[in-house]
Short mmCIF file of all heavy atoms in Angstrom, two decimals:
data_model
loop_
_atom_site.label_atom_id
_atom_site.label_comp_id
_atom_site.label_asym_id
_atom_site.label_seq_id
_atom_site.Cartn_x
_atom_site.Cartn_y
_atom_site.Cartn_z
N LEU A 635 162.70 74.78 189.77
CA LEU A 635 163.11 76.18 189.91
C LEU A 635 161.88 76.98 190.30
O LEU A 635 160.82 76.85 189.69
CB LEU A 635 163.70 76.69 188.60
CG LEU A 635 164.84 75.85 188.01
CD1 LEU A 635 165.27 76.39 186.65
CD2 LEU A 635 166.03 75.78 188.97
N LEU A 636 162.04 77.80 191.33
CA LEU A 636 160.87 78.38 191.99
C LEU A 636 160.87 79.90 191.96
O LEU A 636 161.90 80.54 192.16
CB LEU A 636 160.93 77.90 193.45
CG LEU A 636 159.67 77.97 194.28
CD1 LEU A 636 158.57 77.15 193.64
CD2 LEU A 636 159.95 77.46 195.69
N GLY A 637 159.68 80.46 191.75
CA GLY A 637 159.50 81.92 191.83
C GLY A 637 158.08 82.27 191.47
O GLY A 637 157.36 81.44 190.90
N GLN A 638 157.64 83.49 191.81
CA GLN A 638 156.27 83.89 191.45
C GLN A 638 156.14 84.01 189.95
O GLN A 638 155.10 83.72 189.39
CB GLN A 638 155.90 85.23 192.10
CG GLN A 638 156.04 85.26 193.60
CD GLN A 638 155.15 84.25 194.31
OE1 GLN A 638 154.18 83.78 193.74
NE2 GLN A 638 155.50 83.92 195.53
N ASN A 639 157.20 84.47 189.29
CA ASN A 639 157.23 84.43 187.83
C ASN A 639 158.66 84.13 187.40
O ASN A 639 159.47 85.03 187.21
CB ASN A 639 156.76 85.75 187.23
CG ASN A 639 156.79 85.71 185.71
OD1 ASN A 639 156.87 84.62 185.12
ND2 ASN A 639 156.75 86.85 185.08
N VAL A 640 158.95 82.85 187.23
CA VAL A 640 160.32 82.44 186.93
C VAL A 640 160.81 83.00 185.60
O VAL A 640 162.01 83.19 185.39
CB VAL A 640 160.49 80.90 186.94
CG1 VAL A 640 160.37 80.33 188.33
CG2 VAL A 640 159.52 80.24 185.98
N LEU A 641 159.85 83.27 184.68
CA LEU A 641 160.26 83.72 183.35
C LEU A 641 160.88 85.12 183.39
O LEU A 641 161.53 85.53 182.43
CB LEU A 641 159.07 83.69 182.38
CG LEU A 641 158.36 82.34 182.25
CD1 LEU A 641 157.26 82.42 181.20
CD2 LEU A 641 159.34 81.23 181.89
N SER A 642 160.68 85.84 184.48
CA SER A 642 161.31 87.16 184.64
C SER A 642 162.75 87.04 185.11
O SER A 642 163.43 88.06 185.26
CB SER A 642 160.57 87.98 185.70
OG SER A 642 159.38 88.46 185.20
N PHE A 643 163.20 85.82 185.36
CA PHE A 643 164.54 85.67 185.92
C PHE A 643 165.57 86.40 185.05
O PHE A 643 165.56 86.27 183.82
CB PHE A 643 164.94 84.19 186.03
CG PHE A 643 166.32 84.01 186.57
CD1 PHE A 643 166.57 84.10 187.92
CD2 PHE A 643 167.40 83.85 185.69
CE1 PHE A 643 167.86 84.00 188.42
CE2 PHE A 643 168.69 83.75 186.18
CZ PHE A 643 168.92 83.83 187.55
N GLY A 644 166.44 87.16 185.70
CA GLY A 644 167.54 87.83 185.00
C GLY A 644 167.20 89.20 184.47
O GLY A 644 168.08 90.02 184.25
N LYS A 645 165.89 89.48 184.29
CA LYS A 645 165.50 90.77 183.69
C LYS A 645 165.82 91.93 184.62
O LYS A 645 165.95 93.05 184.19
CB LYS A 645 164.00 90.79 183.37
CG LYS A 645 163.64 89.87 182.20
CD LYS A 645 162.15 89.92 181.90
CE LYS A 645 161.78 88.85 180.89
NZ LYS A 645 160.34 88.62 180.81
N ASN A 646 165.92 91.63 185.91
CA ASN A 646 166.14 92.69 186.88
C ASN A 646 167.52 92.59 187.51
O ASN A 646 167.74 93.03 188.62
CB ASN A 646 165.08 92.59 187.98
CG ASN A 646 164.85 91.13 188.36
OD1 ASN A 646 165.80 90.43 188.72
ND2 ASN A 646 163.64 90.66 188.24
N SER A 647 168.45 91.93 186.79
CA SER A 647 169.78 91.80 187.39
C SER A 647 170.85 92.17 186.36
O SER A 647 170.59 92.22 185.16
CB SER A 647 169.99 90.38 187.91
OG SER A 647 170.89 89.67 187.12
N LYS A 648 172.07 92.42 186.86
CA LYS A 648 173.13 92.85 185.96
C LYS A 648 173.86 91.66 185.36
O LYS A 648 174.76 91.81 184.55
CB LYS A 648 174.13 93.71 186.74
CG LYS A 648 173.58 95.08 187.10
CD LYS A 648 174.71 95.98 187.62
CE LYS A 648 174.21 96.90 188.71
NZ LYS A 648 174.46 96.46 190.07
N GLU A 649 173.49 90.46 185.78
CA GLU A 649 174.30 89.30 185.42
C GLU A 649 174.18 88.88 183.95
O GLU A 649 175.00 88.13 183.45
CB GLU A 649 173.93 88.12 186.31
CG GLU A 649 174.38 88.32 187.73
CD GLU A 649 174.33 87.02 188.52
OE1 GLU A 649 173.24 86.47 188.68
OE2 GLU A 649 175.40 86.56 188.96
N ASN A 650 173.09 89.34 183.31
CA ASN A 650 172.88 88.97 181.92
C ASN A 650 172.74 87.47 181.70
O ASN A 650 173.20 86.92 180.69
CB ASN A 650 174.01 89.55 181.04
CG ASN A 650 173.51 89.79 179.63
OD1 ASN A 650 172.30 89.85 179.40
ND2 ASN A 650 174.44 89.88 178.68
N VAL A 651 172.18 86.80 182.67
CA VAL A 651 171.82 85.39 182.51
C VAL A 651 170.31 85.33 182.61
O VAL A 651 169.73 85.68 183.62
CB VAL A 651 172.44 84.52 183.63
CG1 VAL A 651 172.00 83.06 183.50
CG2 VAL A 651 173.96 84.62 183.60
N MET A 652 169.67 84.96 181.49
CA MET A 652 168.21 84.97 181.43
C MET A 652 167.68 83.57 181.80
O MET A 652 168.44 82.63 181.95
CB MET A 652 167.74 85.33 180.02
CG MET A 652 168.16 86.71 179.59
SD MET A 652 167.28 87.94 180.58
CE MET A 652 168.61 88.93 181.12
N PHE A 653 166.35 83.46 181.88
CA PHE A 653 165.77 82.19 182.32
C PHE A 653 166.21 81.02 181.42
O PHE A 653 166.57 79.96 181.90
CB PHE A 653 164.24 82.27 182.36
CG PHE A 653 163.62 81.00 182.84
CD1 PHE A 653 163.80 80.57 184.15
CD2 PHE A 653 162.89 80.19 181.98
CE1 PHE A 653 163.27 79.37 184.60
CE2 PHE A 653 162.36 78.99 182.42
CZ PHE A 653 162.54 78.58 183.73
N ARG A 654 166.20 81.26 180.10
CA ARG A 654 166.57 80.14 179.21
C ARG A 654 168.03 79.73 179.44
O ARG A 654 168.38 78.55 179.35
CB ARG A 654 166.33 80.49 177.74
CG ARG A 654 167.05 81.71 177.28
CD ARG A 654 167.07 81.90 175.78
NE ARG A 654 168.06 82.91 175.50
CZ ARG A 654 167.88 84.22 175.69
NH1 ARG A 654 166.72 84.66 176.16
NH2 ARG A 654 168.84 85.07 175.44
N ASP A 655 168.89 80.69 179.76
CA ASP A 655 170.29 80.36 180.05
C ASP A 655 170.39 79.52 181.32
O ASP A 655 171.17 78.57 181.40
CB ASP A 655 171.14 81.63 180.24
CG ASP A 655 170.98 82.59 179.08
OD1 ASP A 655 170.95 82.12 177.93
OD2 ASP A 655 170.86 83.81 179.32
N LEU A 656 169.56 79.90 182.30
CA LEU A 656 169.56 79.16 183.56
C LEU A 656 169.10 77.72 183.33
O LEU A 656 169.62 76.78 183.95
CB LEU A 656 168.65 79.86 184.58
CG LEU A 656 168.72 79.31 185.99
CD1 LEU A 656 170.12 79.49 186.58
CD2 LEU A 656 167.70 80.00 186.89
N LEU A 657 168.14 77.53 182.41
CA LEU A 657 167.71 76.16 182.09
C LEU A 657 168.90 75.37 181.55
O LEU A 657 169.14 74.22 181.93
CB LEU A 657 166.58 76.18 181.06
CG LEU A 657 165.17 76.49 181.56
CD1 LEU A 657 164.18 76.46 180.40
CD2 LEU A 657 164.73 75.54 182.66
N HIS A 658 169.66 75.99 180.64
CA HIS A 658 170.84 75.31 180.08
C HIS A 658 171.85 74.97 181.18
O HIS A 658 172.37 73.86 181.23
CB HIS A 658 171.53 76.20 179.03
CG HIS A 658 170.89 76.10 177.67
ND1 HIS A 658 171.11 75.05 176.81
CD2 HIS A 658 170.03 76.92 177.04
CE1 HIS A 658 170.42 75.23 175.70
NE2 HIS A 658 169.75 76.37 175.81
N LEU A 659 172.13 75.95 182.05
CA LEU A 659 173.14 75.74 183.10
C LEU A 659 172.71 74.63 184.06
O LEU A 659 173.52 73.83 184.51
CB LEU A 659 173.37 77.05 183.88
CG LEU A 659 174.06 78.16 183.07
CD1 LEU A 659 173.93 79.50 183.78
CD2 LEU A 659 175.53 77.80 182.83
N THR A 660 171.41 74.59 184.36
CA THR A 660 170.90 73.53 185.25
C THR A 660 171.00 72.18 184.55
O THR A 660 171.36 71.17 185.14
CB THR A 660 169.42 73.82 185.62
OG1 THR A 660 169.36 75.14 186.18
CG2 THR A 660 168.89 72.83 186.63
N HIS A 661 170.69 72.21 183.25
CA HIS A 661 170.73 70.98 182.46
C HIS A 661 172.13 70.36 182.44
O HIS A 661 172.30 69.15 182.38
CB HIS A 661 170.28 71.31 181.03
CG HIS A 661 169.84 70.12 180.25
ND1 HIS A 661 170.71 69.37 179.51
CD2 HIS A 661 168.63 69.54 180.15
CE1 HIS A 661 170.04 68.38 178.95
NE2 HIS A 661 168.78 68.45 179.32
#
Side-chain angles (χ1 to χ4, degrees):
L635 306 175
L636 198 59
Q638 304 299 340
N639 180 16
V640 290
L641 304 184
S642 285
F643 178 80
K645 289 180 189 165
N646 41 55
S647 108
K648 288 192 215 97
E649 290 194 297
N650 208 18
V651 177
M652 297 292 129
F653 182 67
R654 58 167 193 283
D655 308 318
L656 188 63
L657 281 180
H658 277 281
L659 291 166
T660 305
H661 199 271

